[in-house]
Amino acid sequence: MHTFHYQDGFLCCENVRLLHIAETVGTPAYVYSKHTILDHFQRLKRALSPLGAEVAYAVKACSNLAILQLMAREGAGFDIVSGGELWRTIRAGGDPGRCTYAGVGKTEDEIRYALEQGIYCFNAESEAELRTIDEIAASMGVKAPVAVRVNPNVEAGTHQYITTGRKENKFGVDLDRVEALYAAIHHEMPSLIIRGLQMHIGSQLTSIEPFVQAVNKVAPMAARLRELYGIEFFSIGGGIGIVYDQPLPAAFPAWWESRESRSHLHIETYAERLIPLLKPLGLRIIVEPGRMIVGNAGVLLAKCLYEKKGESKTFKIVDAGMNDLIRPALYQGHHEIVPLVQHGDDLVTADVVGPICESGDFQAQNRPMHDIRAGEYLAVLSAGAYGFSMSSNYNSRPMAAEVLVDGGTWTLIRARQTLEDLVRGEILPE
Ligand SMILES: *Cc1c(COP(=O)(O)O)cnc(C)c1O
């Protein structure tokens, strides 16, 4: 579900007209729907309730404090990938005891900080990392809870940059080396406590098969590790894909009907397939969704600045660039683009491009869309995940504002950066 829809000709998030937000806070601006976020979280929680699974929100998908606070209050755990994400999560009221810490390159400072805060578990990705955690824990006189991230070598069927569970990827430890590594932890790393087993095979998976394959491959090992070392949890990672290429019905009246239905990963089917494989393990099951929670709960608002007709192309030049939303450039990500004020049947095929000095700076290419004119506002849909959190100041562009909508009201949850923000921390030599 997502609650972006046209009402009386205006695109709304829940009950708020996005045009009103655009005119008040300016563009580019990210807008998130509180109820959509909560609905996605609850749906997953409910679907996995026979397992009593822990839903640990992957902070990197969208890490604004207000979003983290929302998740903390709703009872989510957190999957973090840096000391900065842990700091932010605690600042937002998240419980460090519900944080799992992933990532191949944890620094000594980050490890020390996470130990001081008492996180639930380090999901370690190499033997060298485990030995470092062991040493740091010993020096602090504490025990560090760890799990090993296993790389099950399955094909996730997603973009190569977001596939993480193949032998060729930098992530995790090869399946056939994992048990020896647990033995080494047990015998040689006295300051570690073996707490679980983890995997994460990739992002934006639109088929259930890779999840099933990976769980089938790894579950027997989880059972053995429970016998041998008393592990308490098995985390199956995140990666649940969302639908990016489904336009709003009202935006494309006739045309929409003719489109074939999109491949779609249903949460309920995901749960139905995985529960029978996981339940018999008797372990605490953790899932780490990011995109599935926030992806379709957020849009990026922009304004069309200029139109340019070339010999072969029509360009719509907008005020949101790849520094605001990098997914099209980085992952060939697809985002639907619709006007904030509803149009009639005026379809054109256009490139929607930003102001950045890069040919990769586009939001859409050769896209049949409404003929959004200069001065009009538009929304880039499904931009809630890996949108703002991947934004940068490239081309000295201040980062966008962020807004959270709740029913009929909205709140600014991040002010647009100022020019002073652009040079904060920079030093002119005498
Ligand atoms: C990024 C990440 C996730 C979340 O992935 P989504 O595709 O957004 O669900 C979960 N776990 C780990 C370890 C990750 O790195």
PDB file of all heavy atoms in Angstrom, residues 58 60-61 79 81 102 149 198 200 202-204 237-240 288-292 386, ligand 1:
ATOM      1  N   ALA A  58      16.588  -1.534   8.679  1.00  0.00           N
ATOM      2  CA  ALA A  58      17.927  -1.227   8.151  1.00  0.00           C
ATOM      3  C   ALA A  58      18.063   0.289   8.024  1.00  0.00           C
ATOM      4  O   ALA A  58      17.539   0.905   7.097  1.00  0.00           O
ATOM      5  CB  ALA A  58      18.137  -1.905   6.798  1.00  0.00           C
ATOM      6  N   LYS A  60      20.229   2.391   7.091  1.00  0.00           N
ATOM      7  CA  LYS A  60      20.819   3.095   5.959  1.00  0.00           C
ATOM      8  C   LYS A  60      19.808   3.450   4.875  1.00  0.00           C
ATOM      9  O   LYS A  60      20.055   4.339   4.073  1.00  0.00           O
ATOM     10  CB  LYS A  60      21.969   2.281   5.353  1.00  0.00           C
ATOM     11  CG  LYS A  60      21.572   1.014   4.622  1.00  0.00           C
ATOM     12  CD  LYS A  60      22.856   0.373   4.058  1.00  0.00           C
ATOM     13  CE  LYS A  60      22.613  -0.844   3.189  1.00  0.00           C
ATOM     14  NZ  LYS A  60      22.101  -2.005   3.907  1.00  0.00           N
ATOM     15  N   ALA A  61      18.652   2.790   4.852  1.00  0.00           N
ATOM     16  CA  ALA A  61      17.666   3.074   3.809  1.00  0.00           C
ATOM     17  C   ALA A  61      17.139   4.502   3.928  1.00  0.00           C
ATOM     18  O   ALA A  61      16.937   5.189   2.919  1.00  0.00           O
ATOM     19  CB  ALA A  61      16.517   2.074   3.873  1.00  0.00           C
ATOM     20  N   ASP A  79      19.081  -2.472  12.276  1.00  0.00           N
ATOM     21  CA  ASP A  79      20.290  -3.031  11.675  1.00  0.00           C
ATOM     22  C   ASP A  79      21.140  -1.859  11.220  1.00  0.00           C
ATOM     23  O   ASP A  79      20.713  -1.056  10.397  1.00  0.00           O
ATOM     24  CB  ASP A  79      19.941  -3.944  10.497  1.00  0.00           C
ATOM     25  CG  ASP A  79      21.171  -4.666   9.992  1.00  0.00           C
ATOM     26  OD1 ASP A  79      21.715  -5.480  10.737  1.00  0.00           O
ATOM     27  OD2 ASP A  79      21.616  -4.388   8.859  1.00  0.00           O
ATOM     28  N   VAL A  81      25.108  -0.133  10.094  1.00  0.00           N
ATOM     29  CA  VAL A  81      26.329  -0.473   9.363  1.00  0.00           C
ATOM     30  C   VAL A  81      27.478   0.483   9.653  1.00  0.00           C
ATOM     31  O   VAL A  81      28.485   0.464   8.945  1.00  0.00           O
ATOM     32  CB  VAL A  81      26.076  -0.524   7.831  1.00  0.00           C
ATOM     33  CG1 VAL A  81      25.147  -1.675   7.478  1.00  0.00           C
ATOM     34  CG2 VAL A  81      25.493   0.793   7.322  1.00  0.00           C
ATOM     35  N   ALA A 102      26.260  -4.661  11.144  1.00  0.00           N
ATOM     36  CA  ALA A 102      26.812  -5.349   9.971  1.00  0.00           C
ATOM     37  C   ALA A 102      27.890  -4.504   9.311  1.00  0.00           C
ATOM     38  O   ALA A 102      28.118  -3.360   9.707  1.00  0.00           O
ATOM     39  CB  ALA A 102      25.688  -5.626   8.973  1.00  0.00           C
ATOM     40  N   ARG A 149      28.437 -13.516   9.404  1.00  0.00           N
ATOM     41  CA  ARG A 149      27.604 -13.376   8.218  1.00  0.00           C
ATOM     42  C   ARG A 149      28.060 -14.416   7.202  1.00  0.00           C
ATOM     43  O   ARG A 149      29.214 -14.396   6.758  1.00  0.00           O
ATOM     44  CB  ARG A 149      27.735 -11.983   7.629  1.00  0.00           C
ATOM     45  CG  ARG A 149      26.996 -11.831   6.299  1.00  0.00           C
ATOM     46  CD  ARG A 149      26.928 -10.392   5.903  1.00  0.00           C
ATOM     47  NE  ARG A 149      26.315 -10.198   4.606  1.00  0.00           N
ATOM     48  CZ  ARG A 149      26.060  -9.008   4.091  1.00  0.00           C
ATOM     49  NH1 ARG A 149      26.376  -7.916   4.777  1.00  0.00           N
ATOM     50  NH2 ARG A 149      25.507  -8.885   2.907  1.00  0.00           N
ATOM     51  N   GLN A 198      24.083 -15.024  10.639  1.00  0.00           N
ATOM     52  CA  GLN A 198      23.403 -14.007   9.835  1.00  0.00           C
ATOM     53  C   GLN A 198      23.688 -14.203   8.366  1.00  0.00           C
ATOM     54  O   GLN A 198      24.736 -14.759   7.996  1.00  0.00           O
ATOM     55  CB  GLN A 198      23.869 -12.605  10.274  1.00  0.00           C
ATOM     56  CG  GLN A 198      22.986 -11.453   9.819  1.00  0.00           C
ATOM     57  CD  GLN A 198      23.490 -10.760   8.574  1.00  0.00           C
ATOM     58  OE1 GLN A 198      24.561 -11.066   8.074  1.00  0.00           O
ATOM     59  NE2 GLN A 198      22.708  -9.835   8.048  1.00  0.00           N
ATOM     60  N   HIS A 200      22.586 -12.046   4.339  1.00  0.00           N
ATOM     61  CA  HIS A 200      21.839 -10.996   3.625  1.00  0.00           C
ATOM     62  C   HIS A 200      22.296 -11.113   2.173  1.00  0.00           C
ATOM     63  O   HIS A 200      23.442 -10.850   1.873  1.00  0.00           O
ATOM     64  CB  HIS A 200      22.143  -9.611   4.197  1.00  0.00           C
ATOM     65  CG  HIS A 200      21.591  -8.480   3.387  1.00  0.00           C
ATOM     66  ND1 HIS A 200      20.232  -8.235   3.284  1.00  0.00           N
ATOM     67  CD2 HIS A 200      22.190  -7.531   2.628  1.00  0.00           C
ATOM     68  CE1 HIS A 200      20.034  -7.175   2.503  1.00  0.00           C
ATOM     69  NE2 HIS A 200      21.201  -6.735   2.096  1.00  0.00           N
ATOM     70  N   GLY A 202      21.117  -9.711  -0.744  1.00  0.00           N
ATOM     71  CA  GLY A 202      21.021  -8.649  -1.745  1.00  0.00           C
ATOM     72  C   GLY A 202      19.811  -7.789  -1.483  1.00  0.00           C
ATOM     73  O   GLY A 202      19.074  -8.017  -0.526  1.00  0.00           O
ATOM     74  N   SER A 203      19.625  -6.798  -2.326  1.00  0.00           N
ATOM     75  CA  SER A 203      18.547  -5.837  -2.128  1.00  0.00           C
ATOM     76  C   SER A 203      17.638  -5.823  -3.355  1.00  0.00           C
ATOM     77  O   SER A 203      18.058  -6.177  -4.457  1.00  0.00           O
ATOM     78  CB  SER A 203      19.161  -4.459  -1.913  1.00  0.00           C
ATOM     79  OG  SER A 203      18.244  -3.569  -1.336  1.00  0.00           O
ATOM     80  N   GLN A 204      16.401  -5.366  -3.140  1.00  0.00           N
ATOM     81  CA  GLN A 204      15.413  -5.261  -4.229  1.00  0.00           C
ATOM     82  C   GLN A 204      15.219  -6.616  -4.927  1.00  0.00           C
ATOM     83  O   GLN A 204      15.266  -6.721  -6.138  1.00  0.00           O
ATOM     84  CB  GLN A 204      15.817  -4.145  -5.213  1.00  0.00           C
ATOM     85  CG  GLN A 204      14.846  -3.861  -6.359  1.00  0.00           C
ATOM     86  CD  GLN A 204      13.390  -3.614  -5.933  1.00  0.00           C
ATOM     87  OE1 GLN A 204      13.112  -3.349  -4.781  1.00  0.00           O
ATOM     88  NE2 GLN A 204      12.469  -3.736  -6.840  1.00  0.00           N
ATOM     89  N   GLY A 237      18.409 -11.460   7.083  1.00  0.00           N
ATOM     90  CA  GLY A 237      18.723 -10.253   6.313  1.00  0.00           C
ATOM     91  C   GLY A 237      17.491  -9.533   5.795  1.00  0.00           C
ATOM     92  O   GLY A 237      16.361  -9.834   6.175  1.00  0.00           O
ATOM     93  N   GLY A 238      17.750  -8.568   4.933  1.00  0.00           N
ATOM     94  CA  GLY A 238      16.650  -7.798   4.330  1.00  0.00           C
ATOM     95  C   GLY A 238      16.530  -8.157   2.865  1.00  0.00           C
ATOM     96  O   GLY A 238      16.685  -9.319   2.506  1.00  0.00           O
ATOM     97  N   GLY A 239      16.266  -7.159   2.036  1.00  0.00           N
ATOM     98  CA  GLY A 239      16.279  -7.393   0.598  1.00  0.00           C
ATOM     99  C   GLY A 239      14.927  -7.499  -0.083  1.00  0.00           C
ATOM    100  O   GLY A 239      14.860  -7.617  -1.308  1.00  0.00           O
ATOM    101  N   ILE A 240      13.847  -7.458   0.709  1.00  0.00           N
ATOM    102  CA  ILE A 240      12.505  -7.584   0.113  1.00  0.00           C
ATOM    103  C   ILE A 240      12.276  -6.438  -0.870  1.00  0.00           C
ATOM    104  O   ILE A 240      12.379  -5.266  -0.507  1.00  0.00           O
ATOM    105  CB  ILE A 240      11.430  -7.564   1.219  1.00  0.00           C
ATOM    106  CG1 ILE A 240      11.644  -8.730   2.176  1.00  0.00           C
ATOM    107  CG2 ILE A 240      10.033  -7.567   0.610  1.00  0.00           C
ATOM    108  CD1 ILE A 240      10.857  -8.604   3.480  1.00  0.00           C
ATOM    109  N   GLU A 288      15.745  -7.953   8.402  1.00  0.00           N
ATOM    110  CA  GLU A 288      16.367  -6.618   8.385  1.00  0.00           C
ATOM    111  C   GLU A 288      15.894  -5.805   7.187  1.00  0.00           C
ATOM    112  O   GLU A 288      16.685  -5.479   6.305  1.00  0.00           O
ATOM    113  CB  GLU A 288      17.892  -6.773   8.324  1.00  0.00           C
ATOM    114  CG  GLU A 288      18.492  -7.637   9.413  1.00  0.00           C
ATOM    115  CD  GLU A 288      19.921  -8.101   9.093  1.00  0.00           C
ATOM    116  OE1 GLU A 288      20.424  -7.799   7.981  1.00  0.00           O
ATOM    117  OE2 GLU A 288      20.532  -8.764   9.939  1.00  0.00           O
ATOM    118  N   PRO A 289      14.604  -5.479   7.127  1.00  0.00           N
ATOM    119  CA  PRO A 289      14.117  -4.768   5.941  1.00  0.00           C
ATOM    120  C   PRO A 289      14.432  -3.278   5.988  1.00  0.00           C
ATOM    121  O   PRO A 289      14.355  -2.652   7.048  1.00  0.00           O
ATOM    122  CB  PRO A 289      12.601  -4.970   6.034  1.00  0.00           C
ATOM    123  CG  PRO A 289      12.338  -5.013   7.513  1.00  0.00           C
ATOM    124  CD  PRO A 289      13.546  -5.687   8.121  1.00  0.00           C
ATOM    125  N   GLY A 290      14.798  -2.715   4.877  1.00  0.00           N
ATOM    126  CA  GLY A 290      14.993  -1.278   4.762  1.00  0.00           C
ATOM    127  C   GLY A 290      14.036  -0.742   3.715  1.00  0.00           C
ATOM    128  O   GLY A 290      13.028  -0.090   4.007  1.00  0.00           O
ATOM    129  N   ARG A 291      14.328  -1.097   2.468  1.00  0.00           N
ATOM    130  CA  ARG A 291      13.544  -0.612   1.333  1.00  0.00           C
ATOM    131  C   ARG A 291      12.053  -0.899   1.479  1.00  0.00           C
ATOM    132  O   ARG A 291      11.207  -0.060   1.186  1.00  0.00           O
ATOM    133  CB  ARG A 291      14.066  -1.289   0.058  1.00  0.00           C
ATOM    134  CG  ARG A 291      13.561  -0.687  -1.227  1.00  0.00           C
ATOM    135  CD  ARG A 291      13.993  -1.547  -2.427  1.00  0.00           C
ATOM    136  NE  ARG A 291      15.411  -1.827  -2.442  1.00  0.00           N
ATOM    137  CZ  ARG A 291      16.337  -1.038  -3.001  1.00  0.00           C
ATOM    138  NH1 ARG A 291      15.980   0.053  -3.615  1.00  0.00           N
ATOM    139  NH2 ARG A 291      17.606  -1.365  -2.955  1.00  0.00           N
ATOM    140  N   MET A 292      11.741  -2.128   1.931  1.00  0.00           N
ATOM    141  CA  MET A 292      10.339  -2.537   2.026  1.00  0.00           C
ATOM    142  C   MET A 292       9.545  -1.640   2.981  1.00  0.00           C
ATOM    143  O   MET A 292       8.361  -1.416   2.788  1.00  0.00           O
ATOM    144  CB  MET A 292      10.313  -3.997   2.492  1.00  0.00           C
ATOM    145  CG  MET A 292       8.965  -4.615   2.674  1.00  0.00           C
ATOM    146  SD  MET A 292       8.512  -4.580   4.415  1.00  0.00           S
ATOM    147  CE  MET A 292       6.755  -4.881   4.296  1.00  0.00           C
ATOM    148  N   TYR A 386      17.006   4.773   0.199  1.00  0.00           N
ATOM    149  CA  TYR A 386      18.236   5.066  -0.525  1.00  0.00           C
ATOM    150  C   TYR A 386      18.075   6.315  -1.386  1.00  0.00           C
ATOM    151  O   TYR A 386      18.639   6.426  -2.468  1.00  0.00           O
ATOM    152  CB  TYR A 386      18.688   3.839  -1.345  1.00  0.00           C
ATOM    153  CG  TYR A 386      18.750   2.595  -0.482  1.00  0.00           C
ATOM    154  CD1 TYR A 386      17.754   1.630  -0.535  1.00  0.00           C
ATOM    155  CD2 TYR A 386      19.770   2.446   0.445  1.00  0.00           C
ATOM    156  CE1 TYR A 386      17.783   0.518   0.311  1.00  0.00           C
ATOM    157  CE2 TYR A 386      19.803   1.344   1.293  1.00  0.00           C
ATOM    158  CZ  TYR A 386      18.817   0.388   1.215  1.00  0.00           C
ATOM    159  OH  TYR A 386      18.841  -0.692   2.058  1.00  0.00           O
TER     160      TYR A 386
HETATM  161  C1  LIG B   1      21.325  -2.882   3.330  1.00  0.00           C
HETATM  162  C2  LIG B   1      21.127  -4.028   4.261  1.00  0.00           C
HETATM  163  C3  LIG B   1      19.834  -4.443   4.612  1.00  0.00           C
HETATM  164  C4  LIG B   1      18.580  -3.810   4.037  1.00  0.00           C
HETATM  165  O1  LIG B   1      18.389  -4.105   2.699  1.00  0.00           O
HETATM  166  P1  LIG B   1      16.996  -3.735   1.990  1.00  0.00           P
HETATM  167  O2  LIG B   1      17.165  -4.210   0.615  1.00  0.00           O
HETATM  168  O3  LIG B   1      16.847  -2.265   2.075  1.00  0.00           O
HETATM  169  O4  LIG B   1      15.930  -4.457   2.738  1.00  0.00           O
HETATM  170  C5  LIG B   1      19.726  -5.477   5.527  1.00  0.00           C
HETATM  171  N1  LIG B   1      20.806  -6.075   6.053  1.00  0.00           N
HETATM  172  C6  LIG B   1      22.062  -5.710   5.734  1.00  0.00           C
HETATM  173  C7  LIG B   1      23.211  -6.406   6.352  1.00  0.00           C
HETATM  174  C8  LIG B   1      22.260  -4.688   4.822  1.00  0.00           C
HETATM  175  O5  LIG B   1      23.506  -4.329   4.489  1.00  0.00           O
END
